[in-house]
């Protein structure tokens, strides 16, 4: 069974008694997420942000906002209107972000992300890693690799929670690309689109953001064994 980083974040937020129930439900695939009832709640905003980041075309964001506003006008269902409006707010937040600092000033080659690479085994658990983009670039004679992971989660993430996505992104790059590329920690970045902040792996390396994945998975493993 696959466990997402969002699930690890949800687990860490639980009280000790609630963690036991959460793990039991998680391991029987009963635990529901914010996206479980309505599919991909944030798919519209994430898709436009991903396309804009890759192409460097910010007009795609304005076009998507206009299209969503039109949908709000014609929709008669409040829930749908609210969903479109929240996707507009996510895109608007991203437009205000310092986007150029998310990638190096170099020619980027965006790499495919095969589904076969999405699962990393940690302490006998299958942890899912689905970064938004992986890109290679050259710094002098060195072939480097980096990536960005855009996350939309209602209410946003604390910095140490966002760091879990960054850590997982780095592990993903290490497993799949470290033989051929140098992983640049400054461009191994997770971005919280709801709040509008970021964590790069250099912050984890220098200790300003903690490593939490192994400890969290170990805690789940101990509960599972009880």
């Amino acid at each position: 069974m696959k466990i997402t980083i969002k699930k690890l974040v949800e687990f860490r937020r639980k009280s000790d008694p609630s963690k036991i129930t959460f793990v039991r439900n998680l391991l029987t695939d009963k635990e529901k997420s914010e996206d479980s009832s309505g599919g991909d709640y944030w798919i519209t905003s994430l898709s436009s942000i991903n396309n804009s980041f890759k192409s460097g075309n910010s007009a795609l964001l304005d076009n998507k906002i206009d299209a969503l506003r039109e949908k709000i006008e014609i929709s008669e269902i409040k829930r749908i209107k609210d969903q479109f409006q929240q996707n507009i707010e996510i895109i608007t937040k991203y437009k205000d972000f310092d986007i150029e600092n998310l990638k190096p000033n170099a020619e980027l080659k965006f790499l495919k992300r095969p589904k076969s690479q999405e699962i990393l085994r940690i302490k006998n658990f299958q942890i899912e890693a689905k970064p938004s983009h992986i890109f290679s670039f050259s710094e002098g004679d060195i072939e480097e690799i980096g990536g960005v992971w855009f996350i939309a989660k209602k209410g946003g993430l604390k910095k140490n929670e966002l760091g879990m996505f960054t850590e997982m992104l780095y592990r993903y790059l290490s497993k799949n690309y470290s033989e051929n590329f140098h992983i640049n920690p400054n461009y191994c970045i997770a971005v919280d689109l709801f709040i509008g902040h970021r964590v790069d792996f250099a912050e984890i390396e220098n200790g300003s953001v903690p490593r939490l994945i192994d400890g969290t998975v170990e805690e789940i493993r101990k509960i599972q064994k009880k």
Side-chain angles (χ1 to χ4, degrees):
M1 189 204 68
K2 294 180 290 187
I3 303 176
T4 65
I5 301 299
K6 281 188 177 181
K7 287 296 185 185
L8 295 184
V9 169
E10 290 174 31
F11 170 79
R12 291 184 58 85
R13 292 179 174 185
K14 300 287 183 181
S15 64
D16 287 343
S18 297
K19 283 180 177 179
I20 296 172
T21 303
F22 185 86
V23 170
R24 287 173 181 167
N25 289 336
L26 183 65
L27 299 177
T28 56
D29 223 15
K30 292 180 180 178
E31 188 66 33
K32 301 299 181 183
S33 71
E34 66 184 59
D35 298 330
S36 60
S37 60
D40 296 320
Y41 189 90
W42 306 106
I43 187 63
T44 304
S45 53
L46 284 171
S47 177
S48 61
I49 287 168
N50 282 330
N51 290 337
S52 176
F53 180 88
K54 185 175 182 178
S55 66
N57 184 1
S58 60
L60 295 176
L61 302 173
D62 293 322
N63 293 341
K64 183 59 66 175
I65 289 174
D66 290 341
L68 286 170
R69 284 174 176 159
E70 289 179 7
K71 289 182 178 182
I72 290 173
E73 287 296 322
I74 63 176
S75 177
E76 297 180 355
I77 303 172
K78 183 179 184 302
R79 176 180 59 83
I80 298 299
K81 287 178 177 285
D82 290 345
Q83 179 175 341
F84 290 151
Q85 182 58 43
Q86 289 193 56
N87 274 269
I88 288 174
E89 290 170 5
I90 289 289
I91 297 170
T92 302
K93 184 89 65 176
Y94 176 75
K95 285 181 61 181
D96 292 337
F97 202 82
D98 188 359
I99 299 167
E100 292 307 311
N101 280 337
L102 298 179
K103 49 189 174 183
N105 184 22
E107 183 177 350
L108 304 184
K109 179 180 179 182
F110 287 86
L111 307 181
K112 293 181 179 180
R113 292 157 292 131
K115 288 189 69 66
S116 60
Q117 295 180 353
E118 288 180 357
I119 302 300
L120 277 67
R121 187 167 290 276
I122 300 174
K123 297 183 184 290
N124 293 322
F125 285 91
Q126 294 182 335
I127 311 300
E128 188 178 71
K130 297 179 73 172
S132 303
H133 293 292
I134 301 299
F135 47 81
S136 64
F137 57 99
S138 296
E139 290 283 349
D141 297 328
I142 301 174
E143 287 294 314
E144 306 212 26
I145 197 156
V148 62
W149 194 340
F150 295 118
I151 302 102
K153 182 173 175 60
K154 192 171 184 179
L157 298 161
K158 297 177 182 177
K159 194 159 187 179
N160 62 349
E161 294 172 341
L162 186 59
M164 295 174 73
F165 289 87
T166 306
E167 182 184 352
M168 196 64 186
L169 172 56
Y170 186 85
R171 294 172 96 148
Y172 174 96
L173 294 175
S174 296
K175 178 187 176 185
N176 296 305
Y177 298 102
S178 58
E179 288 187 6
N180 298 313
F181 298 93
H182 169 257
I183 303 169
N184 190 314
N186 296 303
Y187 296 107
C188 177
I189 304 170
V191 180
D192 179 348
L193 295 171
F194 198 92
I195 293 178
H197 59 205
R198 54 167 275 172
V199 171
D200 60 55
F201 195 75
E203 295 175 87
I204 294 176
E205 284 187 324
N206 68 28
S208 60
V209 176
R211 299 174 190 255
L212 297 177
I213 289 179
D214 283 342
T216 304
V217 173
E218 177 64 18
E219 189 175 357
I220 291 174
R221 189 186 68 83
K222 288 180 178 178
I223 291 174
Q224 182 195 24
K225 291 177 68 176
K226 289 182 179 179

